[in-house]
Amino acid sequence: ATYNYSNGNAGVSENEARVTARNDWKFDDSKWFTFVEGQFDYDEFQDWDTRVSVFGGPGYVWVENDKQRFMTRVGAGATREIGGADNAWRAEGLLAAEYRRQLTERQVVNASAEAYPDLGDSRNWRIQSRATWEVMVDPEVNLMLPDGIENEYDTDPNGAQRSDTDYFILLSWTY
């Protein structure tokens, strides 16, 4: 879950939230798995108020060892943008890739991208991408310093910006 808010001299320039939940079911002695994913988005500066998405399908782990992991997912589902120009459910595909690399004992880089083509209109699609560098500040208490960049691109934003990019530096504690 993430929440981003920015208020400066020009007023509020960002007010958005995203909650994503995904479960992967692995098959014994196989690199294949199945998944189900749900996502809830809120963004004050989009044409819609909230967006709800559900997806499912197969995935494949291409590389997995102590240093790195690369996996892909392909699926289908539905999305509904509530409070905007188009309140109807629409069918979307899902093409996703995730990569994680352990650089040192205390440093990890992650990169991911998810493309959502509109299955009813091939001209419309959106992409969510993210890259992070995580540094373990204190392993005794699991204190991390992740920083990175996120971008969401939409070919049909109904008057809003097509591309929305966020940069971040966080101090996080895992338990």
Side-chain angles (χ1 to χ4, degrees), residues 151-170:
N151 181 269
E152 183 166 355
Y153 181 83
D154 190 338
T155 60
D156 186 21
N158 291 319
Q161 290 183 329
R162 284 183 187 254
S163 186
D164 185 15
T165 302
D166 291 316
Y167 308 93
F168 59 89
I169 296 176
L170 306 170

Side-chain angles (χ1 to χ4, degrees), residues 33-90:
F33 63 93
T34 59
F35 74 93
V36 172
E37 177 178 305
Q39 192 171 85
F40 171 84
D41 291 291
Y42 164 80
D43 193 331
E44 180 181 342
F45 296 99
Q46 293 295 328
D47 171 58
W48 41 267
D49 297 324
T50 58
R51 178 173 58 202
V52 179
S53 304
V54 292
F55 296 94
Y60 190 79
V61 179
W62 299 88
V63 176
E64 186 168 31
N65 56 47
D66 292 342
K67 290 284 185 185
Q68 62 186 345
R69 181 174 192 214
F70 177 64
M71 62 184 265
T72 56
R73 293 177 284 124
V74 176
T79 295
R80 182 174 181 190
E81 295 175 345
I82 301 165
D86 182 12
N87 271 339
W89 284 96
R90 71 176 182 278

